[in-house]
Amino acid sequence: MASDTKPDCLFCKIIRKEIPAEIVFEDDTVLAFRDIAPKAPTHVLVIPKRHVDRLSDTTRADEPLLGNLVAGVTEVARKLDLDDYRVVVNNGAGAGQVVFHIHVHLMAGRHFKWPAG
Ligand code: 5GP
Ligand code: ZN
């Protein structure tokens, strides 16, 4: 699994346990950990254990990765007993992506406006 990571990527370093994080869920395919600067009372990032820069780099061939990622989100939500929650993927710098390793934001515990800002 470590061979699927990228040496200088922040989230890959978290996967390899080179940087500490508050991990809430982990299996062979995904890792979930608390956001260091939470934007909601509960704010967890769910990432695939294989490095991919961003969502738009994926294709049909990545269905297993994408399926595991979304299934990972629902598993975390169940584990944390979350009912209503907001799921966000920022794709590209113009959409607010800062860390270029695909991640899903799972946020809960406050009211969320729609449309999202
Ligand atoms: P993005 O803006 O790329 O969609 O989201 C990146 C997220 O990663 C941000 O919410 C930011 O707070 C979080 N983040 C950045 N660096 C770290 C870190 O070292 N540890 C953790 N746990 N979260 C981080
Ligand atoms: Zn990475």
Side-chain angles (χ1 to χ4, degrees):
M1 201 53 67
S3 59
D4 289 339
T5 61
K6 186 176 164 183
D8 60 348
C9 167
L10 175 66
F11 287 176
C12 285
K13 288 179 181 174
I14 290 176
I15 291 168
R16 297 194 302 268
K17 310 284 164 69
E18 293 168 12
I19 290 177
E22 196 182 330
I23 293 169
V24 295
F25 177 81
E26 179 169 19
D27 68 12
D28 287 348
T29 62
V30 298
L31 181 70
F33 52 95
R34 295 196 187 271
D35 196 293
I36 205 167
K39 313 298 187 297
T42 298
H43 187 171
V44 172
L45 302 174
V46 186
I47 66 174
K49 284 193 168 178
R50 172 161 68 84
H51 180 90
V52 179
D53 279 1
R54 59 185 198 164
L55 185 64
S56 54
D57 291 331
T58 64
T59 67
R60 284 276 181 187
D62 298 302
E63 276 180 4
L65 178 148
L66 295 167
N68 286 321
L69 187 59
V70 175
V73 171
T74 60
E75 278 192 77
V76 171
R78 269 192 292 276
K79 185 174 178 184
L80 299 182
D81 205 22
L82 306 179
D83 186 11
D84 297 339
Y85 49 85
R86 174 67 57 89
V87 172
V88 173
V89 178
N90 296 323
N91 183 76
Q97 187 175 4
V98 174
V99 179
F100 280 76
H101 178 128
I102 292 184
H103 51 279
V104 179
H105 295 262
L106 170 60
M107 293 173 284
R110 66 169 170 84
H111 174 73
F112 294 99
K113 290 182 190 148
W114 188 255

